[in-house]
Amino acid sequence: MTCAQGHRHWGLYGAAGILVYVPHPTDQALSLVLLQRRARWAHQGGTWALPGGAMDSEETPAEAALREADEECMLDPKLVLPRGMYSDEHGGWAYHTVLAQAAEPLRVVSDSYEADEAVWLPAGEVGRLDLHPGFADSWPLLRQALAPVTVFVDGTGSPGTRPPDDSDAAPADAGRRLYAHLSGLASSGIAAPPDGVPGQLLARWYPDYVLVLDEAAAAAAAESAADDEALAASGAPRYSWNAPLAVRTAEVRIVAVTHGAQAGDVIADLAEVTPGQRLVISGRQAYQIH
């Protein structure tokens, strides 16, 4: 189709690709990125780009990107974790890049028809390759979003987490509610990250969460998390990632503040051993830890 800018594109409903990466804990340039060299017969053949292709009419960007990665380099979608989505809009047509994290460089096999080879490369070396023009334009922005981001949520002062009497019901209910809220965010993502956090230009953002609660609230939240894990183990689709497609989602870790400890001290200790960008949400305040 032809977009509003007068460019001709492959895919009547847009296109999507997947940027699979293994983050490095201290040096973003050493994060590994999965690239493939396009088959010679293809448009811009011989250049390096991401697994991807045209979307079908009923597909979301995530579905299309994962399907194409499976077809072109046999990537197992269950082994990657969504982290964000960048949309390059051209006026009536868009290319969506889904960012997905892997725990380690996965074994991939390129399809000889659509891709000549698929390799893992350090992010610092990607710019030296003969890149597909569209990917070359978006790579500087995408590279910024490779840094791990963790959101610490201090729920110890939230309404209901401290009961006015000896009842355990109030903190238990509050713990469950806070966990359910963060679990929903882990699935749906966030449209606008706070100022200064990498990924400002992403259309969607999927950080990890650490929920810090008093002991009673943490115990109730942990029960809800265990129920979710049991549901996932049963094979029932629990998350959709904006699509009817069961994939892994960002982590919601629950941490209990023991009697006599301060939530701020607990968060500081956890943040010290957590790589990447760390954002703290406490009451109505949000701040970064550098």
Side-chain angles (χ1 to χ4, degrees):
M1 67 163 293
T2 302
C3 70
Q5 300 176 14
H7 304 144
R8 290 178 61 83
H9 302 280
W10 179 261
L12 293 178
Y13 309 102
I18 189 165
L19 173 54
V20 184
Y21 65 100
V22 180
H24 190 275
T26 59
D27 190 346
Q28 192 183 99
L30 297 178
S31 296
L32 297 177
V33 177
L34 176 62
L35 295 180
Q36 67 178 26
R37 186 162 59 182
R38 298 166 64 86
R40 293 290 174 180
W41 65 265
H43 179 61
Q44 302 290 344
T47 59
W48 291 88
L50 305 175
M55 295 170 53
D56 290 333
S57 60
E58 301 299 322
E59 282 185 315
T60 65
E63 287 180 305
L66 289 168
R67 173 183 55 75
E68 289 284 346
D70 182 24
E71 293 174 359
E72 295 179 0
C73 55
M74 298 182 67
L75 178 76
D76 186 345
K78 297 188 294 297
L79 299 179
V80 298
L81 182 68
R83 287 303 187 194
M85 185 175 72
Y86 172 72
S87 297
D88 184 13
E89 300 286 347
H90 289 251
W93 189 92
Y95 189 95
H96 307 281
T97 301
V98 175
L99 292 91
Q101 180 181 335
E104 60 185 358
L106 306 172
R107 181 180 180 272
V108 291
V109 179
S110 64
D111 181 284
S112 59
Y113 176 70
E114 297 191 77
D116 289 338
E117 60 180 314
V119 299
W120 291 91
L121 289 174
E125 298 181 11
V126 172
R128 304 173 188 173
L129 300 175
D130 180 15
L131 302 179
H132 181 279
F135 177 53
D137 289 342
S138 61
W139 170 241
L141 301 175
L142 295 170
R143 180 174 174 176
Q144 296 177 28
L146 299 184
V149 180
T150 303
V151 178
F152 294 86
V153 179
D154 180 2
T156 57
S158 301
T161 55
R162 296 184 183 275
D165 49 36
D166 294 332
S167 171
D168 289 333
D173 290 344
R176 294 188 187 97
R177 287 197 304 271
L178 283 170
Y179 170 77
H181 181 66
L182 291 184
S183 182
L185 288 178
S187 173
S188 65
I190 299 172
D195 292 340
V197 175
Q200 284 292 312
L201 297 177
L202 297 183
R204 215 73 189 163
W205 182 60
Y206 297 82
D208 282 327
Y209 296 91
V210 178
L211 176 58
V212 179
L213 295 166
D214 293 313
E215 289 182 278
E223 290 179 359
S224 295
D227 290 342
D228 279 354
E229 291 301 322
L231 182 62
S234 70
R238 178 171 46 137
Y239 299 115
S240 64
W241 193 17
N242 303 327
L245 176 72
V247 297
R248 295 172 58 203
T249 63
E251 178 185 9
V252 180
R253 179 183 172 193
I254 301 164
V255 176
V257 177
T258 58
H259 181 69
Q262 297 295 319
D265 295 335
V266 172
I267 290 174
D269 290 342
L270 292 170
E272 187 175 358
V273 296
T274 300
Q277 296 286 327
R278 293 143 297 171
L279 178 70
V280 177
I281 308 293
S282 178
R284 296 184 180 181
Q285 294 182 327
Y287 57 93
Q288 283 185 266
I289 296 177
H290 299 282

